[in-house]
Amino acid sequence: RHSMLPRQMQRVGRDWIAHWNSPQVFPWNNPISNCMRWVGHYPWGTFPLSVPFDFSANWRWPLFFGPWRQFQNSNWQLDNFTHNCCFHLSNCNMKSEGGEPSTKKRRLSGQRDTVTPEPETSSSDQKEAPCLSPAQNEGNCTSKRGAIQRHWEYFCQHSRTMKTSKNKATDQSNRESEAKFDFTVMSYNILSQNLLEDNSHLYKHCHQPLLIWSYRFPNILQEIKQLDADVLCLQEVQEDHYRTEIKSSLESLGYHCEYKMRTGRKPDGCAICFKTSKFSLISSSPVEFFRRDIPLLDRDNVGLVLLLQPRLHCKTSAAVCIANTHLLYNPRRGDIKLTQLAMLLAEIASVACQKDGTFCPIIICGDFNSVPGSPLYSFIKEGKLNYEGLPIGKVSGQEQFPRGQRILSIPIWPQKLGISQNCVYEIKQQQKEENTGEKMTEAKLDDTEKIVVASKKLSSKLQHHFKLSSVYSHYFPETGKPEVTTCHSRSAVTVDYIFFSAANDDTAAKPGTEDSLNGGLKLLGRLALVSEQDLWTVNGLPNENNSSDHLPLLAEFRLIER
């Protein structure tokens, strides 16, 4: 009767008698998954069940479990017993789309009928292929079961056909096409394995096998391959994983990698990787936010600033400054967050400054641990912040009712840090004043006193001169619901950003941009974000297809010269 089944499976039918709470039967006539493990051979293996059942008097252990003491020592738990299945029990309820059991649909489509995740197949077969290259992949987005649906949003009609424009029209249009430089930038917090294990309470909603690095890394790498960005800004890159796997894998994809590890005991850091076919490296400047002689700066966060030279076939000598950081998480230490940000901006100002005193185009990526509309976020976008009377716990906006009610001190950081309220190094500020003739050489005593008094009144005002815009709008215009970049058991918010210096003709450009920027960047498109509700339809983050608790951000830019 069961001649097609192994001898062990025939014995299951004779020896295993269970009382079911639901109309679910063992699928003897269905093909058995080839990935199943015989529990008799592996005492640590969990017995396959897909729904809870009743341990009634009619139930007894199957004989192939082996000696009781061997099973008793196998650290058996009910959760593992029911969730970490070795093969699948078909569910006769038609809950799937189209009114067919999911197992039948998978069988008809030629897919394996299995529940146990396998890294080598899930990352390629189950991940959605988003529209990454506007020329090649438009309209080619696939819909995978359990995958987050993200689409490409265009802001420039020409970006849809940018790859084919070089083969059209006259010699003049060809010369214009050669002068244009389009590139993509990704910001992605890939979730350090060490931090995941130290904060396991944030991932109670996840199936444990999905949190293992050997499963997560192939998924992350496959996602990077699919997005195919020209520049990667990665956060929470664990040092040992970077050294043994991440760097070599990215180099095989044509990337050059720069990495800065955190200064403390946390073994992760930030990385910027760029395709050598698109850019060459001019300089790499790591930024350490820890200062032993300044008590305020006792945290080990870091940043990284690169100056890249585009590989253009034209006469220009344009450069692009790419910065990446991961600011302090603590919602009640807004003073540290602002100081870390000021240090990053000061380094950017030093690196991006051109010979004529203007700044080259700038892109700042990272996990800022601040929500849209918060004082820290507004400071980045608007270029100014008056923090007088601002509670320290409201700087990042992470908590609706912040516990840190201490008011920010004026000034926030000590003078020996060497960074002015304009977020530039003091030496650079003095040189600029001398070059522009703004430094006061001869002044009366009364005028000097007035200036000192005025400076004390203005000391609570921070500013920078980059005039940055955000790639994302943070809210869906149709519904008003917030976009989400990170989601775990406790929250789902936006904390990841890509900021850029917009060109004058960009709709996001701001008045006065031409005064401080040498050209700029035009936003051509972006990979759309999703809502919290969308994420929980796939069990939040991480999940089977997305192996970080953050979503990757992706934008396409065009370099515009003045």
Side-chain angles (χ1 to χ4, degrees), residues 131-174:
C131 299
L132 312 175
S133 174
Q136 300 174 358
N137 297 332
E138 182 185 3
N140 195 31
C141 295
T142 59
S143 178
K144 299 279 185 170
R145 182 179 62 86
I148 299 172
Q149 302 300 316
R150 301 178 67 183
H151 62 277
W152 190 265
E153 297 177 333
Y154 294 97
F155 297 97
C156 177
Q157 182 68 23
H158 182 69
S159 67
R160 296 171 181 261
T161 57
M162 65 175 186
K163 298 295 183 183
T164 59
S165 63
K166 293 184 180 180
N167 300 325
K168 295 181 179 180
T170 63
D171 293 338
Q172 182 179 357
S173 63
N174 287 334

Side-chain angles (χ1 to χ4, degrees), residues 170-190:
T170 63
D171 293 338
Q172 182 179 357
S173 63
N174 287 334
R175 287 194 298 269
E176 291 176 355
S177 178
E178 287 178 357
K180 293 174 182 176
F181 184 79
D182 298 345
F183 63 99
T184 53
V185 177
M186 179 208 295
S187 181
Y188 195 7
N189 183 325
I190 65 173

